[in-house]
C-alpha cells in the first residue's frame, strides 16, 4: 500500500470480540486487516475481550485495549454433570428474563462496558474511524449508539455473517417479539453506518433485500502465519501416499458431496490400496466426522484443531486440499480457500454454480468433481490428479486476497466519506 493509498486522517479503532485465531476465523479477519492498516502508517487501536496477544499482532506496532465480557460462557457448552446442568439452566433462564432478542449473542451483557471503553478510547486517542465487526451482532448495534454520541465519527460496520436470517446465534428459534427486536437493530445498523462492509457477495445480496445501499466486499485475507518453508515429514501421517487434507468445518448441507467423495475414495482404496490418505483437521461437525469414520477407509486421519504455526507445518504435507461448499452460499468463498492457496497445491472441490468453482476453473487451481456424475468417474479424476496428469497453476498470485489489497479497497472507499464529514 503506497502512502497515498494508505492515509486515513485520524486514528482508527477496530472492535472485534475475539481478536486473533483462538476463537476461529472471525478473530483473524480484522487482526490481519488492522495489521495491514498499521504497517501502512495508520494509527490503529483494537478493542477486544481477548487477553492474549494474537499471533498476527506480535510485531509490537499495535495498541490493544481489553475488557472482560460478562457473557456466561456456560451457555455455549454442553454440561456433562449435574452441577453443570443446574448452572446452565440457571444462566439460560436468567438471560431469557433479562435479554431482548437472542440470548446466544456473546455481547448482550456488555453494552455498558462496550460504550464506556469506546468512549474513553475515542476521546483519548482522537479516533476518526470506528470499525466494528459482527458477530456478535449486538456490538454492531452499540456502534449506532456511539455514532449518536460522536456525530463526526465515521462508523464502519462489518458483516461476517447474516444476522436475522442466519442459521447461527439462535436466530431461527426466536419468538416473534425477539425476531422483531433483532430486525429493528439490524435495520438501524444498516441505515446509520457510514460504510457497511461484507465478507461475501451472499451477505451483500441478503442486506440489499433489507435496505438498498452500497455494500463494500472485503474478502477474508490469506494468512502469512500459516506459511512454512518445508513440510514436516515427522507429522505426515503416511508420507508415501497422495495426501488429501481438509481443514476446518464441513457444514451441514454438503452431504451429497461428502457421500460422493467417500464412495469414489472407497473405489480407489480397492483398486489402488495405499495410494491415497485423507486428513480431517479440526472439524467440529461430529456428524461429518462420524460419516468419514464409518466409511472405514484405510488412511483416514482425524486430527484435532492446531495452533496456526503447527497447522501450517501439517498443511504443508498435503498433496491437495479438499473443499466442500454449500449451494445456498454459491457466491461465498469458503475461508479455507484463502488458507489453502498459500501452499500452491491443487484444490479439489465440487462443480457447484458459484464463486468458488469459477475461481478454481478460471485460475486453474485444481480439480472440480461433479456429484451428478458417477463415483467411478470421480475416482478416475482423483487418480489422474495423484499421477500428475492434471495441470494446475503453481505460480498463481494471491495478491487480490491479501490483507494489504483488501485494505486498499477500504481506504479508497473511506476517503470520500471522510472528506464529506470534514466539510
Amino acid at each position: 500500500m503506497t502512502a497515498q493509498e494508505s492515509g486515513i486522517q485520524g486514528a482508527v479503532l477496530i472492535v472485534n470480540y475475539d481478536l486473533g485465531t483462538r476463537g476461529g476465523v472471525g478473530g483473524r479477519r480484522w487482526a490481519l486487516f488492522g495489521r495491514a492498516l498499521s504497517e501502512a502508517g495508520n494509527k490503529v487501536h483494537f478493542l477486544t475481550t481477548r487477553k492474549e496477544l494474537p499471533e498476527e499482532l506480535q510485531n509490537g506496532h499495535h495498541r490493544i485495549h481489553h475488557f472482560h465480557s460478562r457473557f456466561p460462557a456456560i451457555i455455549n457448552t454442553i454440561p456433562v454433570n449435574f452441577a453443570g446442568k443446574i448452572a446452565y439452566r440457571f444462566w439460560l433462564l436468567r438471560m431469557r428474563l433479562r435479554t431482548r432478542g437472542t440470548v446466544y449473542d456473546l455481547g448482550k451483557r456488555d453494552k455498558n462496558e462496550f460504550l464506556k471503553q469506546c468512549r474513553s478510547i475515542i476521546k483519548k486517542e482522537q479516533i476518526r474511524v470506528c470499525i466494528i465487526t459482527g458477530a456478535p451482532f449486538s456490538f454492531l448495534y452499540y456502534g449506532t449508539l456511539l455514532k449518536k454520541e460522536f456525530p463526526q465519527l465515521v462508523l464502519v460496520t462489518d458483516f461476517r455473517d447474516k444476522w436475522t436470517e442466519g442459521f447461527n446465534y439462535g436466530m431461527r428459534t426466536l419468538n416473534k417479539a425477539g425476531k422483531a427486536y433483532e430486525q429493528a437493530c439490524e435495520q438501524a445498523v444498516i441505515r446509520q453506518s457510514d460504510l457497511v462492509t461484507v465478507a461475501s457477495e451472499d451477505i451483500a445480496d441478503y442486506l440489499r433485500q433489507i435496505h438498498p445501499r452500497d455494500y463494500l466486499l472485503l474478502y477474508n485475507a490469506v494468512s502469512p502465519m500459516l506459511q512454512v518453508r518445508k513440510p514436516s515429514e515427522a507429522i505426515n501421517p503416511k508420507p508415501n501416499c497422495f495426501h488429501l487434507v481438509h481443514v476446518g468445518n464441513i457444514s451441514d448441507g454438503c452431504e451429497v458431496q461428502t457421500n460422493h467423495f467417500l464412495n469414489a475414495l472407497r473405489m480407489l482404496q480397492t483398486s489402488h490400496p495405499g495410494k491415497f490418505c485423507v486428513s480431517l483437521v479440526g472439524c467440529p461437525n461430529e456428524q461429518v466426522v462420524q460419516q468419514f469414520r464409518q466409511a472405514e477407509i484405510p488412511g483416514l486421519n482425524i486430527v484435532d484443531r492446531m495452533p496456526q504455526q503447527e497447522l501450517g507445518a501439517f498443511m504443508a504435507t498435503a498433496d491437495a486440499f479438499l473443499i466442500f461448499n454449500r449451494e445456498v452460499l454459491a457466491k461465498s468463498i469458503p475461508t479455507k480457500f484463502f488458507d489453502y492457496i498459500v501452499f500452491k497445491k491443487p484444490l479439489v472441490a465440487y462443480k457447484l454454480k458459484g464463486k468458488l468453482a469459477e475461481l478454481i476453473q478460471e485460475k486453474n487451481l485444481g480439480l472440480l468433481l461433479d456429484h451428478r456424475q458417477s463415483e467411478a468417474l470421480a475416482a478416475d479424476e482423483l487418480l489422474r490428479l495423484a499421477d500428475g496428469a492434471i495441470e494446475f497453476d503453481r505460480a498463481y498470485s494471491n495478491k487480490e486476497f491479501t490483507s494489504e489489497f483488501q485494505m486498499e479497497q477500504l481506504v479508497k472507499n473511506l476517503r470520500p466519506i471522510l472528506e464529506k464529514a470534514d466539510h
Side-chain angles (χ1 to χ4, degrees):
M1 207 184 295
T2 67
Q4 184 178 6
E5 292 169 329
S6 66
I8 295 177
Q9 296 300 318
V12 178
L13 172 62
I14 296 172
V15 185
N16 200 140
Y17 186 89
D18 194 352
L19 192 65
T21 56
R22 182 189 66 179
V25 175
R28 188 184 73 183
R29 175 173 168 84
W30 282 97
L32 290 174
F33 287 169
R35 171 173 155 166
L37 283 174
S38 180
E39 291 178 346
N42 297 288
K43 186 178 179 182
V44 180
H45 291 261
F46 296 87
L47 178 61
T48 179
T49 64
R50 176 173 178 164
K51 293 182 180 180
E52 304 94 330
L53 184 66
E55 292 176 88
E56 295 85 356
L57 301 176
Q58 289 181 355
N59 59 17
H61 299 303
H62 312 90
R63 304 160 181 86
I64 302 180
H65 310 264
H66 310 271
F67 74 94
H68 177 69
S69 175
R70 297 179 63 239
F71 184 83
I74 193 169
I75 288 181
N76 280 338
T77 65
I78 300 175
V80 295
N81 55 41
F82 180 75
K85 291 177 181 179
I86 294 296
Y88 175 86
R89 290 176 181 176
F90 168 79
W91 277 108
L92 191 61
L93 177 60
R94 185 174 182 178
M95 288 288 290
R96 284 175 173 163
L97 291 174
R98 299 188 177 190
T99 303
R100 297 184 69 184
T102 178
V103 300
Y104 298 102
D105 181 302
L106 299 179
K108 285 290 187 179
R109 303 184 77 228
D110 296 331
K111 175 183 173 182
N112 292 337
E113 189 64 23
F114 176 101
L115 293 174
K116 175 184 173 182
Q117 293 286 338
C118 286
R119 287 189 196 106
S120 175
I121 298 169
I122 290 169
K123 292 176 182 177
K124 182 178 179 181
E125 307 298 339
Q126 298 182 317
I127 298 298
R128 190 73 181 85
V129 177
C130 182
I131 302 170
I132 306 176
T133 182
F137 297 112
S138 57
F139 275 22
L140 306 187
Y141 177 68
Y142 303 157
T144 67
L145 304 181
L146 283 175
K147 180 71 174 174
K148 291 178 182 178
E149 288 189 49
F150 303 93
Q152 295 302 310
L153 182 73
V154 172
L155 177 63
V156 179
T157 296
D158 179 59
F159 281 79
R160 303 192 315 269
D161 295 300
K162 294 179 181 180
W163 188 338
T164 54
E165 294 302 320
F167 288 91
N168 300 317
Y169 318 110
M171 296 297 171
R172 298 279 168 165
T173 60
L174 285 174
N175 60 27
K176 188 175 180 179
K179 185 71 171 287
Y181 173 76
E182 296 289 346
Q183 288 173 332
C185 292
E186 186 176 33
Q187 283 271 4
V189 167
I190 298 170
R191 292 175 182 273
Q192 297 175 32
S193 299
D194 295 290
L195 179 65
V196 179
T197 63
V198 294
S200 75
E201 293 176 34
D202 283 310
I203 298 175
D205 288 346
Y206 155 74
L207 293 176
R208 287 190 192 98
Q209 294 176 3
I210 299 172
H211 181 65
R213 62 168 293 171
D214 292 332
Y215 297 93
L216 176 62
L217 174 61
L218 296 178
Y219 288 113
N220 288 327
V222 296
S223 174
M225 308 301 295
L226 282 172
Q227 297 181 51
V228 292
R229 291 184 179 179
K230 293 181 180 180
S232 174
E233 295 294 338
I235 61 175
N236 194 340
K238 291 184 179 294
N240 296 321
C241 73
F242 188 80
H243 190 195
L244 294 159
V245 174
H246 183 282
V247 177
N249 191 33
I250 300 177
S251 302
D252 295 337
C254 298
E255 293 82 5
V256 171
Q257 298 166 51
T258 51
N259 280 328
H260 189 268
F261 171 77
L262 288 171
N263 288 334
L265 196 60
R266 194 180 292 110
M267 290 180 180
L268 287 169
Q269 296 292 22
T270 300
S271 60
H272 296 78
K275 188 175 180 69
F276 291 86
C277 57
V278 179
S279 291
L280 287 185
V281 184
C283 180
N285 190 332
E286 190 57 35
Q287 289 184 329
V288 171
V289 173
Q290 288 302 319
Q291 180 190 21
F292 272 73
R293 283 198 172 113
Q294 289 168 7
E296 297 183 348
I297 296 171
L300 174 63
N301 187 31
I302 306 296
V303 184
D304 291 335
R305 186 175 176 179
M306 302 178 181
Q308 274 199 104
Q309 292 180 344
E310 183 181 342
L311 176 62
F314 188 90
M315 290 175 71
T317 69
D319 294 298
F321 291 106
L322 298 168
I323 308 182
F324 302 100
N325 201 21
R326 290 183 289 175
E327 288 189 279
V328 294
L329 296 175
K331 293 185 179 180
S332 297
I333 305 175
T335 303
K336 54 182 61 65
F337 169 88
F338 305 109
D339 294 338
Y340 290 168
I341 58 177
V342 170
F343 295 90
K344 299 187 181 299
K345 304 288 181 68
L347 310 181
V348 178
Y350 274 82
K351 194 177 293 183
L352 302 178
K353 185 179 180 181
K355 192 69 176 179
L356 176 65
E358 289 173 8
L359 270 171
I360 293 175
Q361 187 169 16
E362 291 174 5
K363 306 294 185 181
N364 193 22
L365 300 181
L367 170 64
L368 288 174
L369 303 175
D370 193 336
H371 66 270
R372 294 160 296 191
Q373 297 178 340
S374 69
E375 289 96 347
L377 183 59
D380 289 342
E381 290 291 284
L382 288 168
L383 189 59
R384 291 181 64 232
L385 181 67
D387 290 339
I390 295 178
E391 294 293 328
F392 72 99
D393 186 1
R394 296 177 182 271
Y396 170 65
S397 168
N398 56 32
K399 178 185 176 182
E400 62 187 308
F401 299 122
T402 61
S403 54
E404 292 78 12
F405 183 84
Q406 298 302 313
M407 289 304 92
E408 287 176 17
Q409 312 313 306
L410 175 66
V411 173
K412 183 169 69 174
N413 281 268
L414 274 175
R415 191 169 290 120
I417 297 173
L418 288 163
E419 291 174 355
K420 182 179 179 181
D422 289 338
H423 287 84

